[in-house]
Amino acid sequence: MLTGQKPIVVVGSINLDLVTKAEHIPVVGETVLGDEFQMHPGGKGANQAVAIARLGYPVRMIGRLGSDLFGGQLRVDLQSSGVDLSGVEEADGPSGVAAIIVAPHGENCIVVTPGANVHVSPEYVDLHAEIIRNAGMVLTQLEIPIETVRHLAEICHRHGVPMMLDPAPAQKLPPDLLTHIQWFTPNETEAAFYVSSGLHETLDGLTPSATAHSLLTQGPRGILLKMGARGAYLATDGIEEYLNAIAVEAIDTTAAGDAFNGAFAVGLQLGKTVRESARFAVAAAAHSVTRPGAQPSMPVIREVEKMLENALLTSGTDAHGAITARSTEPQWKGKGVVD
Ligand code: RIB
């Protein structure tokens, strides 16, 4: 644990993931036979908290667990990963669960039943406002009530605490919410939703740069577009950069976006530049897809550094020390498609 550093605080969901591996993801009305079933601790909030803890940075979580057997197990898992749970309390009723199907190349689809996560209310956040006021940065997602996210953004804004919003799963946001957000981190599907106000599912014809510009006009200070196997696109205060992906053999992409957000926050809190932090996040996400499960896949700092070193050996660096294997900006190629 680092001393003298303000902890990162994650306000978000805690789920038990029920994961089935299958030959392919079924279409509507289709039944497929699964190969293997596993249960893993998950939830976008808890995953981001574990990502941070595994990288060795102090992290506190504000969230709710159910009063069922899953709740007890999820608490033990989070504690053993090193997450401070002083903001996590039990709520009567079931814990959050996620039904996940993972196909052979790691692609997935997820249905979340929120359970206790609906009890992460604005009033509950107020009970733990002290934790938020003392944060170096606050991370949240959209698996808790939207009015809570709005309330949290107001608290962070009032106390000058930078907030990162991972808009997953995508849903309509209250007006002005994004003006209180420092970092907005959609993936391609989510970016399409916010660029077109929910009208389109893909960004065909729009470059990542045009997408980022459109999102910046809605208020956040910085955009990080998560482009899966094609890397990421960073846009903020005079910086625009495409970050090339690191090639790995993906076996399960579940929570790669959570690894990315956690690592980006850690990079910034450790004093890395925005570019270096984004690169660190790309490497953490790449490492996470090489292991199964959500929280069990989160890398430790040495693993991320090693992945970056290996990527540098194969790609070279530009004048800013960023890895540049590509000089022109890629086009979107549809949901999660690799070029
Ligand atoms: O981002 C991955 C997570 O989404 C899973 O762990 C699942 O619980 C859902 O919240």
Side-chain angles (χ1 to χ4, degrees):
M1 189 106 141
L2 303 165
T3 50
Q5 304 269 8
K6 283 187 164 189
I8 298 171
V9 172
V10 181
V11 184
S13 57
I14 307 170
N15 297 334
L16 185 78
D17 291 352
L18 310 172
V19 186
T20 300
K21 283 185 113 178
E23 264 310 302
H24 65 267
I25 292 171
V27 295
V28 176
E30 184 185 11
T31 302
V32 296
L33 286 176
D35 294 334
E36 196 185 317
F37 173 77
Q38 288 183 343
M39 296 200 286
H40 294 294
K44 295 186 197 304
N47 296 344
Q48 293 183 16
V50 169
I52 294 161
R54 295 267 292 164
L55 292 171
Y57 198 87
V59 56
R60 290 171 142 186
M61 173 126 201
I62 296 177
R64 305 299 296 263
L65 291 162
S67 52
D68 52 5
L69 284 178
F70 292 168
Q73 185 55 49
L74 289 166
R75 178 179 286 279
V76 170
D77 290 329
L78 279 167
Q79 252 157 0
S80 61
S81 293
V83 178
D84 177 326
L85 296 183
S86 43
V88 175
E89 294 174 31
E90 194 178 290
D92 266 348
S95 297
V97 290
I100 303 182
I101 298 168
V102 179
H105 297 294
E107 325 86 280
N108 65 35
C109 71
I110 304 179
V111 179
V112 174
T113 309
N117 297 306
V118 300
H119 298 294
V120 185
S121 61
E123 297 73 29
Y124 183 75
V125 165
D126 281 343
L127 290 176
H128 300 282
E130 190 60 25
I131 294 179
I132 296 163
R133 282 198 289 273
N134 291 322
M137 188 169 205
V138 166
L139 273 56
T140 196
Q141 316 77 28
L142 299 180
E143 287 183 350
I144 56 172
I146 195 75
E147 62 271 19
T148 305
V149 175
R150 179 196 196 151
H151 186 63
L152 182 64
E154 283 164 4
I155 299 177
C156 288
H157 181 65
R158 208 176 315 130
H159 296 285
V161 179
M163 178 164 154
M164 185 188 301
L165 174 61
D166 188 14
Q171 56 187 281
K172 202 168 177 320
L173 300 176
D176 296 338
L177 170 68
L178 287 179
T179 59
H180 292 339
I181 302 299
Q182 179 75 38
W183 291 104
F184 190 59
T185 64
N187 66 16
E188 182 178 355
T189 317
E190 292 145 9
F193 180 91
Y194 291 105
V195 163
S196 67
S197 308
L199 296 175
H200 301 295
E201 285 195 343
T202 69
L203 287 160
D204 287 346
L206 264 193
T207 61
S209 163
T211 304
H213 278 268
S214 166
L215 295 171
L216 280 171
T217 62
Q218 298 179 38
R221 251 82 72 227
I223 303 290
L224 261 167
L225 296 176
K226 295 184 279 194
M227 297 159 58
R230 293 189 302 119
Y233 192 83
L234 166 68
T236 187
D237 289 338
I239 302 176
E240 285 208 31
E241 185 158 322
Y242 168 69
L243 298 130
N244 201 40
I246 297 174
V248 289
E249 196 164 328
I251 61 158
D252 183 355
T253 58
T254 309
D258 300 326
F260 185 103
N261 281 45
F264 183 61
V266 169
L268 293 175
Q269 292 305 112
L270 290 177
K272 292 179 191 287
T273 66
V274 168
R275 279 193 173 98
E276 289 165 347
S277 301
R279 195 66 208 157
F280 186 66
V282 167
H287 200 289
S288 77
V289 306
T290 65
R291 288 200 286 243
Q295 287 165 36
S297 72
M298 298 302 168
V300 296
I301 197 153
R302 186 66 206 118
E303 291 171 321
V304 180
E305 286 168 352
K306 195 142 194 250
M307 180 144 282
L308 276 172
E309 281 160 23
N310 291 342
L312 281 169
L313 287 177
T314 53
S315 306
T317 59
D318 69 9
H320 308 289
I323 300 166
T324 52
R326 195 192 292 262
S327 56
T328 52
E329 187 184 14
Q331 303 290 311
W332 298 107
K333 288 262 180 104
K335 286 185 199 171
V337 176
V338 187
D339 59 2

Coordinates of all heavy atoms in Angstrom, one line a residue, residues 182-253:
Q182 N -14.9 14.5 -15.5 CA -13.6 14.7 -16.0 C -13.3 13.8 -17.2 O -12.8 14.2 -18.2 CB -12.6 14.5 -14.9 CG -11.1 14.6 -15.3 CD -10.7 16.1 -15.4 OE1 -11.2 16.9 -14.6 NE2 -9.9 16.4 -16.4
W183 N -13.5 12.5 -17.0 CA -13.2 11.4 -18.0 C -14.5 10.6 -18.3 O -15.1 10.1 -17.4 CB -12.1 10.5 -17.5 CG -10.8 11.2 -17.4 CD1 -10.2 11.6 -16.2 CD2 -10.0 11.6 -18.5 NE1 -9.0 12.2 -16.6 CE2 -8.8 12.2 -17.9 CE3 -10.0 11.4 -19.9 CZ2 -7.8 12.7 -18.7 CZ3 -9.0 11.9 -20.6 CH2 -7.9 12.6 -20.1
F184 N -14.8 10.5 -19.6 CA -15.9 9.8 -20.1 C -15.3 8.6 -21.0 O -14.6 8.9 -21.9 CB -16.8 10.7 -20.9 CG -18.1 10.1 -21.3 CD1 -19.0 9.7 -20.3 CD2 -18.5 10.1 -22.6 CE1 -20.3 9.2 -20.7 CE2 -19.8 9.6 -23.0 CZ -20.7 9.1 -22.0
T185 N -15.7 7.4 -20.7 CA -14.9 6.3 -21.3 C -15.8 5.2 -21.9 O -15.9 4.1 -21.5 CB -14.1 5.6 -20.2 OG1 -15.0 5.0 -19.2 CG2 -13.1 6.5 -19.5
P186 N -16.6 5.6 -23.0 CA -17.5 4.6 -23.6 C -16.7 3.6 -24.5 O -15.6 3.9 -25.0 CB -18.4 5.5 -24.5 CG -17.5 6.7 -24.9 CD -16.6 6.9 -23.7
N187 N -17.3 2.4 -24.7 CA -16.8 1.6 -25.8 C -17.5 2.0 -27.1 O -18.3 3.0 -27.1 CB -16.9 0.1 -25.4 CG -18.4 -0.3 -25.3 OD1 -19.3 0.3 -25.8 ND2 -18.6 -1.5 -24.7
E188 N -17.4 1.2 -28.1 CA -17.9 1.6 -29.4 C -19.5 1.7 -29.4 O -20.1 2.7 -29.9 CB -17.5 0.7 -30.5 CG -18.0 1.1 -31.9 CD -17.5 0.1 -32.9 OE1 -16.7 -0.8 -32.6 OE2 -17.9 0.3 -34.1
T189 N -20.1 0.7 -28.8 CA -21.6 0.6 -28.8 C -22.1 1.8 -28.0 O -23.1 2.5 -28.3 CB -22.0 -0.7 -28.2 OG1 -21.2 -1.7 -28.7 CG2 -23.5 -0.9 -28.4
E190 N -21.4 2.0 -26.8 CA -21.9 3.1 -26.0 C -21.7 4.5 -26.6 O -22.5 5.4 -26.5 CB -21.2 3.0 -24.6 CG -21.6 1.8 -23.8 CD -20.5 1.2 -23.0 OE1 -19.4 1.8 -22.9 OE2 -20.7 0.1 -22.5
A191 N -20.5 4.6 -27.3 CA -20.2 5.9 -28.0 C -21.3 6.2 -29.0 O -21.8 7.3 -29.2 CB -18.9 5.9 -28.6
A192 N -21.7 5.1 -29.8 CA -22.8 5.3 -30.8 C -24.0 5.8 -30.2 O -24.7 6.7 -30.7 CB -23.0 4.0 -31.5
F193 N -24.4 5.2 -29.0 CA -25.6 5.6 -28.3 C -25.6 7.1 -27.9 O -26.5 7.8 -28.1 CB -25.7 4.8 -27.0 CG -26.9 5.1 -26.2 CD1 -28.1 4.3 -26.4 CD2 -26.9 6.0 -25.2 CE1 -29.2 4.6 -25.6 CE2 -28.0 6.3 -24.4 CZ -29.2 5.6 -24.6
Y194 N -24.4 7.6 -27.4 CA -24.4 9.0 -27.0 C -24.2 10.0 -28.1 O -24.6 11.1 -28.0 CB -23.3 9.2 -25.9 CG -23.7 8.4 -24.6 CD1 -23.1 7.2 -24.2 CD2 -24.8 8.9 -23.8 CE1 -23.6 6.5 -23.1 CE2 -25.2 8.3 -22.7 CZ -24.6 7.1 -22.4 OH -25.1 6.4 -21.3
V195 N -23.5 9.5 -29.2 CA -23.3 10.4 -30.3 C -24.7 10.7 -31.0 O -25.0 11.7 -31.5 CB -22.3 9.9 -31.3 CG1 -22.4 10.5 -32.6 CG2 -20.9 10.1 -30.7
S196 N -25.5 9.6 -31.1 CA -26.8 9.7 -31.8 C -28.0 9.7 -30.9 O -29.1 9.5 -31.4 CB -26.9 8.5 -32.7 OG -27.0 7.3 -31.9
S197 N -27.8 10.0 -29.6 CA -28.9 10.0 -28.6 C -29.7 8.8 -28.7 O -30.9 8.8 -28.6 CB -29.8 11.2 -28.9 OG -29.1 12.4 -29.0
G198 N -29.0 7.6 -28.8 CA -29.6 6.3 -28.7 C -30.3 5.9 -30.0 O -30.9 4.8 -30.0
L199 N -30.1 6.6 -31.1 CA -30.8 6.2 -32.3 C -30.0 5.1 -33.1 O -30.6 4.4 -33.9 CB -31.0 7.4 -33.2 CG -31.9 8.5 -32.6 CD1 -31.9 9.8 -33.5 CD2 -33.3 8.0 -32.5
H200 N -28.7 5.1 -33.0 CA -27.9 4.1 -33.8 C -27.1 3.2 -32.9 O -26.7 3.6 -31.8 CB -27.0 4.9 -34.7 CG -27.7 5.8 -35.6 ND1 -28.6 5.4 -36.6 CD2 -27.7 7.2 -35.7 CE1 -29.1 6.4 -37.2 NE2 -28.6 7.5 -36.7
E201 N -26.8 2.0 -33.5 CA -26.1 1.1 -32.7 C -24.6 1.0 -33.1 O -23.8 0.5 -32.4 CB -26.6 -0.3 -32.9 CG -27.9 -0.5 -32.1 CD -28.3 -2.0 -31.9 OE1 -27.8 -2.8 -32.7 OE2 -29.1 -2.2 -31.1
T202 N -24.3 1.6 -34.3 CA -22.9 1.6 -34.7 C -22.5 3.0 -35.1 O -23.3 3.8 -35.3 CB -22.6 0.6 -35.9 OG1 -23.2 1.1 -37.0 CG2 -23.1 -0.8 -35.6
L203 N -21.1 3.1 -35.3 CA -20.6 4.4 -35.6 C -20.1 4.4 -37.1 O -19.2 5.2 -37.4 CB -19.4 4.8 -34.7 CG -19.9 5.1 -33.3 CD1 -18.7 4.9 -32.3 CD2 -20.4 6.5 -33.2
D204 N -20.7 3.6 -37.9 CA -20.3 3.5 -39.3 C -20.2 4.9 -39.9 O -21.1 5.7 -39.8 CB -21.3 2.7 -40.1 CG -21.2 1.2 -39.8 OD1 -20.2 0.9 -39.2 OD2 -22.1 0.5 -40.1
G205 N -19.0 5.2 -40.5 CA -18.8 6.5 -41.2 C -18.2 7.5 -40.3 O -17.8 8.6 -40.8
L206 N -18.2 7.3 -39.0 CA -17.6 8.3 -38.1 C -16.2 7.8 -37.7 O -16.1 6.7 -37.3 CB -18.5 8.5 -36.9 CG -19.5 9.6 -36.8 CD1 -20.0 9.8 -35.4 CD2 -18.9 10.9 -37.3
T207 N -15.2 8.7 -37.7 CA -13.9 8.3 -37.2 C -14.0 8.4 -35.7 O -14.8 9.1 -35.1 CB -12.8 9.3 -37.7 OG1 -13.2 10.6 -37.2 CG2 -12.7 9.3 -39.2
P208 N -13.0 7.7 -35.0 CA -12.9 7.9 -33.5 C -12.7 9.4 -33.2 O -13.3 9.9 -32.2 CB -11.7 7.1 -33.2 CG -11.7 6.0 -34.2 CD -12.2 6.6 -35.5
S209 N -12.0 10.1 -34.0 CA -11.7 11.5 -33.7 C -13.0 12.3 -33.7 O -13.3 13.1 -32.8 CB -10.7 12.1 -34.7 OG -10.7 13.5 -34.7
A210 N -13.8 12.1 -34.8 CA -15.1 12.8 -34.9 C -16.0 12.4 -33.8 O -16.8 13.2 -33.2 CB -15.8 12.5 -36.3
T211 N -16.0 11.1 -33.4 CA -16.8 10.6 -32.3 C -16.4 11.3 -31.0 O -17.3 11.8 -30.3 CB -16.6 9.1 -32.1 OG1 -16.9 8.5 -33.4 CG2 -17.5 8.5 -31.1
A212 N -15.1 11.4 -30.8 CA -14.6 12.0 -29.5 C -15.0 13.5 -29.5 O -15.4 14.0 -28.4 CB -13.1 11.9 -29.4
H213 N -14.9 14.2 -30.6 CA -15.3 15.6 -30.7 C -16.7 15.8 -30.3 O -17.1 16.7 -29.6 CB -14.9 16.2 -32.0 CG -13.5 16.6 -32.1 ND1 -13.0 17.8 -31.8 CD2 -12.4 15.8 -32.4 CE1 -11.7 17.8 -32.0 NE2 -11.3 16.6 -32.3
S214 N -17.5 14.9 -30.9 CA -19.0 15.0 -30.7 C -19.3 14.8 -29.2 O -20.1 15.6 -28.6 CB -19.7 14.0 -31.5 OG -21.0 13.9 -31.1
L215 N -18.6 13.9 -28.6 CA -18.8 13.6 -27.1 C -18.3 14.8 -26.3 O -18.9 15.1 -25.3 CB -18.2 12.3 -26.7 CG -18.7 11.0 -27.4 CD1 -17.9 9.8 -27.1 CD2 -20.2 10.8 -26.9
L216 N -17.2 15.4 -26.7 CA -16.6 16.5 -25.9 C -17.6 17.7 -25.8 O -17.6 18.4 -24.8 CB -15.3 16.9 -26.5 CG -14.0 16.1 -26.1 CD1 -12.8 16.5 -26.9 CD2 -13.7 16.1 -24.6
T217 N -18.3 17.9 -26.9 CA -19.3 19.0 -26.9 C -20.4 18.8 -25.9 O -21.1 19.7 -25.5 CB -20.0 19.2 -28.3 OG1 -20.7 18.0 -28.6 CG2 -19.0 19.5 -29.4
Q218 N -20.5 17.6 -25.4 CA -21.6 17.3 -24.4 C -21.1 17.6 -23.0 O -21.9 17.5 -22.0 CB -22.1 15.9 -24.5 CG -22.7 15.6 -25.9 CD -23.2 14.2 -26.0 OE1 -23.7 13.6 -25.1 NE2 -23.0 13.6 -27.2
G219 N -19.8 18.0 -22.8 CA -19.4 18.5 -21.5 C -18.2 17.9 -20.8 O -17.6 18.6 -20.0
P220 N -17.9 16.6 -21.0 CA -16.8 16.0 -20.2 C -15.5 16.7 -20.7 O -15.3 17.1 -21.8 CB -16.8 14.5 -20.6 CG -17.6 14.4 -21.8 CD -18.5 15.5 -21.9
R221 N -14.5 16.7 -19.8 CA -13.2 17.3 -20.1 C -12.3 16.4 -20.9 O -11.4 16.8 -21.7 CB -12.4 17.7 -18.8 CG -12.4 19.2 -18.6 CD -13.6 19.8 -18.0 NE -13.7 19.5 -16.6 CZ -14.9 19.0 -16.0 NH1 -16.0 18.9 -16.7 NH2 -14.9 18.8 -14.7
G222 N -12.5 15.1 -20.8 CA -11.7 14.2 -21.6 C -12.5 12.9 -22.0 O -13.4 12.5 -21.3
I223 N -12.1 12.4 -23.2 CA -12.7 11.2 -23.7 C -11.7 10.1 -23.9 O -10.6 10.4 -24.4 CB -13.3 11.5 -25.1 CG1 -14.3 12.6 -25.0 CG2 -14.0 10.2 -25.7 CD1 -15.6 12.4 -24.3
L224 N -12.0 8.9 -23.5 CA -11.2 7.8 -23.8 C -12.1 6.8 -24.5 O -13.0 6.2 -23.8 CB -10.6 7.2 -22.6 CG -9.1 7.5 -22.3 CD1 -8.7 7.2 -20.9 CD2 -8.2 6.9 -23.3
L225 N -12.0 6.6 -25.8 CA -12.8 5.6 -26.5 C -12.2 4.2 -26.4 O -11.0 4.1 -26.8 CB -13.0 6.0 -27.9 CG -13.7 7.3 -28.2 CD1 -13.7 7.6 -29.7 CD2 -15.1 7.3 -27.7
K226 N -12.9 3.3 -25.8 CA -12.3 1.9 -25.7 C -12.7 1.1 -27.0 O -13.9 0.9 -27.2 CB -12.9 1.3 -24.5 CG -12.4 2.0 -23.2 CD -12.8 1.3 -21.9 CE -14.2 1.6 -21.5 NZ -14.5 1.2 -20.1
M227 N -11.7 0.8 -27.8 CA -12.0 0.2 -29.1 C -11.6 -1.3 -29.1 O -11.3 -1.9 -30.2 CB -11.2 1.0 -30.1 CG -11.7 2.4 -30.2 SD -10.6 3.5 -31.0 CE -10.3 2.8 -32.6
G228 N -11.6 -2.0 -28.0 CA -11.4 -3.4 -27.9 C -10.0 -3.8 -28.5 O -9.0 -3.2 -28.2
A229 N -10.1 -4.7 -29.5 CA -8.9 -5.3 -30.1 C -8.2 -4.2 -31.0 O -7.2 -4.6 -31.6 CB -9.2 -6.5 -30.8
R230 N -8.8 -3.1 -31.1 CA -8.1 -2.0 -32.0 C -7.6 -0.9 -31.1 O -7.3 0.2 -31.7 CB -9.1 -1.5 -33.0 CG -9.4 -2.6 -34.1 CD -10.2 -2.2 -35.3 NE -11.4 -1.6 -34.9 CZ -11.7 -0.3 -35.1 NH1 -10.9 0.5 -35.8 NH2 -12.9 0.2 -34.8
G231 N -7.5 -1.1 -29.8 CA -6.8 -0.1 -29.0 C -7.8 0.9 -28.4 O -8.9 0.6 -27.9
A232 N -7.4 2.2 -28.4 CA -8.2 3.3 -27.7 C -7.9 4.6 -28.4 O -6.9 4.8 -29.1 CB -7.8 3.3 -26.2
Y233 N -8.8 5.5 -28.2 CA -8.6 6.9 -28.7 C -8.8 7.9 -27.6 O -9.8 7.9 -26.9 CB -9.6 7.2 -29.8 CG -9.2 8.4 -30.6 CD1 -8.3 8.4 -31.6 CD2 -9.8 9.7 -30.3 CE1 -7.9 9.5 -32.3 CE2 -9.4 10.8 -30.9 CZ -8.5 10.7 -32.0 OH -8.1 11.9 -32.6
L234 N -7.7 8.7 -27.4 CA -7.7 9.7 -26.3 C -7.9 11.1 -26.9 O -7.3 11.5 -27.8 CB -6.3 9.6 -25.7 CG -5.9 10.7 -24.7 CD1 -6.7 10.7 -23.4 CD2 -4.4 10.5 -24.3
A235 N -8.8 11.9 -26.2 CA -9.0 13.3 -26.6 C -9.3 14.1 -25.4 O -10.2 13.9 -24.7 CB -10.2 13.4 -27.6
T236 N -8.4 15.1 -25.2 CA -8.6 16.0 -24.1 C -7.6 17.2 -24.3 O -6.6 17.1 -25.0 CB -8.3 15.4 -22.7 OG1 -8.6 16.3 -21.7 CG2 -6.8 15.0 -22.5
D237 N -8.0 18.4 -23.7 CA -7.1 19.6 -23.7 C -5.9 19.6 -24.6 O -4.8 19.4 -24.2 CB -6.5 19.8 -22.3 CG -7.6 20.2 -21.3 OD1 -8.6 20.8 -21.8 OD2 -7.4 20.0 -20.1
G238 N -6.1 19.7 -25.9 CA -4.9 19.8 -26.8 C -4.2 18.5 -27.1 O -3.2 18.4 -27.8
I239 N -4.7 17.4 -26.5 CA -4.1 16.1 -26.8 C -5.1 15.2 -27.6 O -6.3 15.1 -27.2 CB -3.8 15.3 -25.5 CG1 -2.8 16.1 -24.7 CG2 -3.2 13.9 -25.9 CD1 -2.5 15.4 -23.3
E240 N -4.7 14.7 -28.7 CA -5.5 13.7 -29.4 C -4.6 12.6 -29.9 O -3.6 12.9 -30.5 CB -6.2 14.4 -30.6 CG -7.3 15.2 -30.2 CD -8.4 15.3 -31.3 OE1 -8.6 14.4 -32.0 OE2 -9.0 16.4 -31.4
E241 N -4.9 11.4 -29.5 CA -4.0 10.3 -29.9 C -4.7 9.0 -30.0 O -5.5 8.7 -29.2 CB -2.9 10.2 -28.8 CG -1.9 9.2 -29.1 CD -0.6 9.5 -28.4 OE1 -0.2 10.7 -28.2 OE2 0.1 8.6 -27.9
Y242 N -4.4 8.3 -31.1 CA -4.8 6.9 -31.2 C -3.8 6.0 -30.5 O -2.6 6.2 -30.8 CB -5.0 6.6 -32.7 CG -5.1 5.1 -32.9 CD1 -6.3 4.4 -32.5 CD2 -4.1 4.3 -33.4 CE1 -6.4 3.1 -32.6 CE2 -4.3 2.9 -33.5 CZ -5.4 2.3 -33.1 OH -5.6 1.0 -33.2
L243 N -4.2 5.1 -29.7 CA -3.3 4.2 -29.0 C -3.5 2.8 -29.6 O -4.6 2.3 -29.5 CB -3.6 4.2 -27.5 CG -3.4 5.6 -26.9 CD1 -4.5 6.0 -26.0 CD2 -2.1 5.6 -26.1
N244 N -2.5 2.4 -30.2 CA -2.5 1.1 -30.8 C -2.8 0.0 -29.8 O -2.3 0.0 -28.7 CB -1.2 0.8 -31.5 CG -1.3 -0.2 -32.6 OD1 -2.3 -0.2 -33.3 ND2 -0.3 -1.0 -32.7
A245 N -3.5 -1.1 -30.2 CA -3.8 -2.2 -29.3 C -2.5 -3.0 -29.2 O -1.6 -2.9 -30.0 CB -4.9 -3.1 -29.9
I246 N -2.4 -3.8 -28.1 CA -1.3 -4.8 -28.0 C -1.9 -6.2 -28.3 O -2.9 -6.6 -27.8 CB -0.8 -4.8 -26.5 CG1 -0.2 -3.4 -26.2 CG2 0.2 -5.8 -26.3 CD1 0.2 -3.1 -24.8
A247 N -1.3 -6.8 -29.3 CA -1.8 -8.1 -29.7 C -1.6 -9.2 -28.7 O -0.5 -9.4 -28.2 CB -1.1 -8.5 -31.0
V248 N -2.7 -9.8 -28.3 CA -2.7 -11.0 -27.4 C -3.7 -12.0 -27.9 O -4.6 -11.7 -28.7 CB -3.1 -10.6 -25.9 CG1 -2.0 -9.7 -25.3 CG2 -4.4 -9.9 -25.9
E249 N -3.6 -13.2 -27.3 CA -4.6 -14.2 -27.7 C -5.7 -14.1 -26.6 O -5.5 -14.5 -25.4 CB -4.0 -15.6 -27.7 CG -4.9 -16.6 -28.3 CD -4.2 -17.9 -28.7 OE1 -2.9 -17.8 -29.0 OE2 -4.8 -18.9 -28.7
A250 N -6.9 -13.6 -27.0 CA -8.0 -13.4 -26.1 C -8.7 -14.7 -25.8 O -9.1 -15.4 -26.7 CB -8.9 -12.3 -26.6
I251 N -8.9 -14.9 -24.5 CA -9.8 -16.1 -24.2 C -11.1 -15.7 -23.5 O -12.0 -16.4 -23.5 CB -9.0 -17.2 -23.3 CG1 -8.6 -16.6 -22.0 CG2 -7.9 -17.8 -24.1 CD1 -8.4 -17.7 -21.0
D252 N -11.1 -14.5 -22.9 CA -12.3 -14.0 -22.3 C -12.2 -12.5 -22.1 O -11.3 -12.0 -21.3 CB -12.5 -14.7 -20.9 CG -13.8 -14.2 -20.2 OD1 -14.5 -13.4 -20.7 OD2 -14.1 -14.8 -19.1
T253 N -13.0 -11.7 -22.8 CA -12.9 -10.3 -22.8 C -13.7 -9.6 -21.7 O -13.8 -8.4 -21.5 CB -13.4 -9.7 -24.2 OG1 -14.7 -10.1 -24.4 CG2 -12.5 -10.1 -25.3

